[in-house]
Amino acid sequence: MEREAGIERARAWISEAGSVAVLTGAGVSAESGVPTFRGPGGLWREHRPEDLATPEAFARDPLLVWEWYAYRRELIAACRPNPAHEALVRLEKRCEDMSLITQNVDGLHALAGSRRVLELHGNLFAIRCCNCGAERQQREPPASLPPRCARCGGLERPGVVWFGEALPGQALESALAAVRRAELVLVVGTSGVVWPAAGLLQAAPDGCRSVLVNLEPTDQSEQVDLALHGKAGEILPGIVAA
Ligand code: BV8
Ligand code: ZN
């Protein structure tokens, strides 16, 4: 289908749906300057995730892992929401029941003004004590690396979900419930390879329509009713227009 016709169809489906679940990945923030993980220039091209984004890596070398996160925190602190994030804010305002489920740790949905965001993989600006569990939000760089807990002196870690770790239970349950009651699921800017987030689309009920927005086809393109290829920052403003 021609792109304009696809956008038109998605726009009609969205305006008919009472309940919408949106699943986002790194591609939604690409136009803000946040590097994606697996594409050209993706973060995993230079670093193996198993070297840096696992509890084992952190146990082995907390300073190395923290240096990588400090670099990403600094890069992302300078990034601003783009028209894709902004379109999803408008959709939330208009839609009776919308859930924004994100794998992103950059916080840009909230910064854009989305009120209800389910962060499945945590947040880059959260810092949690490995010893007492105290968690804080801090955008400024830690004074020294690796940071230590002000309460108990324990080693602190980034408040993100690493490979092999369970996702935050409440966020995952709410995400699953949102997809199960959705009349439309919109999947934006994710390669769809990281579980359990990648499995959420399959929880959509019979009769639920599904739309995918991505620069290129992914494994999930086959699973949706409509796949739109192009930049999220160009396509989303079109499909949520009143
Ligand atoms: C768990 C946070 C169990 C930290 C991240 C083998 C088979 C199946 C599963 C597994 C397996 N081996 C292991 C697993 C499980 C594993 C997994 O899925 N591995 C995969 C890789 C095989 N999953 C886990 O370990 C999860 N936990 O299973 O726990 C458990 C249960 C109970 C008790 C204990 C344990 C935890 C996964 C969390 C991993 N954390 N990061 C950090 O950021 O440092 S994952 C990382 O990938 C990112 O955070 C991101 O959220 C996630 C997904 O990536 P995407 O967002 O999709 O990004 P990607 O770069 O891949 O794609 C970007 C897309 O955008 C592309 O398609 C591109 O075309 C598109 N794009 C680019 N520009 C644009 C665009 N689209 C539109 N517009 C544009 N402008
Ligand atoms: Zn502590």
Side-chain angles (χ1 to χ4, degrees):
M1 192 188 311
E2 200 203 316
R3 183 160 124 170
E4 280 314 309
I7 290 175
E8 188 71 33
R9 176 172 293 184
R11 181 161 57 215
W13 286 356
I14 284 178
S15 57
E16 284 163 27
S19 179
V20 178
V22 184
L23 311 169
T24 67
V28 85
S29 296
E31 292 155 72
S32 294
V34 178
T36 60
F37 291 85
R38 293 171 189 82
L43 286 170
W44 299 147
R45 291 279 169 109
E46 289 165 55
H47 308 276
R48 295 193 313 152
E50 58 273 27
D51 288 344
L52 294 167
T54 65
E56 293 75 18
F58 189 68
R60 203 162 47 229
D61 194 343
L63 181 58
L64 175 72
V65 172
W66 259 113
E67 281 169 347
W68 188 56
Y69 279 94
Y71 160 75
R72 287 173 59 202
R73 284 166 57 98
E74 195 183 325
L75 185 86
I76 290 172
C79 294
R80 292 288 152 255
N82 69 57
H85 300 105
E86 286 156 10
L88 294 173
V89 176
R90 292 198 295 280
L91 184 60
E92 182 182 57
K93 287 191 178 136
R94 207 180 85 195
C95 192
E96 234 164 82
D97 174 25
M98 156 159 155
S99 301
L100 181 46
I101 303 158
T102 189
Q103 299 170 77
N104 297 345
V105 295
D106 57 33
L108 288 179
H109 285 302
L111 199 60
S114 285
R115 286 167 172 264
R116 271 189 1 102
V117 185
L118 299 169
E119 291 183 317
L120 295 181
H121 294 164
N123 192 292
L124 205 50
F125 299 104
I127 298 180
R128 187 167 76 242
C129 175
C130 300
N131 183 49
C132 74
E135 186 165 308
R136 59 201 175 89
Q137 292 287 327
Q138 181 185 318
R139 283 188 84 80
E140 300 74 39
S144 65
L145 293 182
R148 294 262 163 196
C149 177
R151 203 191 279 179
C152 79
L155 181 63
E156 289 182 307
R157 58 163 285 174
V160 299
V161 179
W162 284 325
F163 288 99
E165 291 187 315
L167 273 61
Q170 188 68 57
L172 184 59
E173 267 175 44
S174 302
L176 196 56
V179 174
R180 287 190 172 140
R181 69 172 183 271
E183 288 162 22
L184 184 123
V185 176
L186 178 60
V187 183
V188 189
T190 174
S191 55
V193 298
V194 174
W195 289 77
L200 285 170
L201 176 59
Q202 287 159 22
D206 287 345
C208 174
R209 286 162 165 165
S210 50
V211 178
L212 177 142
V213 177
N214 199 300
L215 267 188
E216 53 188 40
T218 70
D219 289 352
Q220 292 181 323
S221 298
E222 302 292 306
Q223 298 173 39
V224 295
D225 299 312
L226 179 61
L228 299 172
H229 298 130
K231 292 185 172 178
E234 292 172 4
I235 292 179
L236 288 191
I239 67 179
V240 308

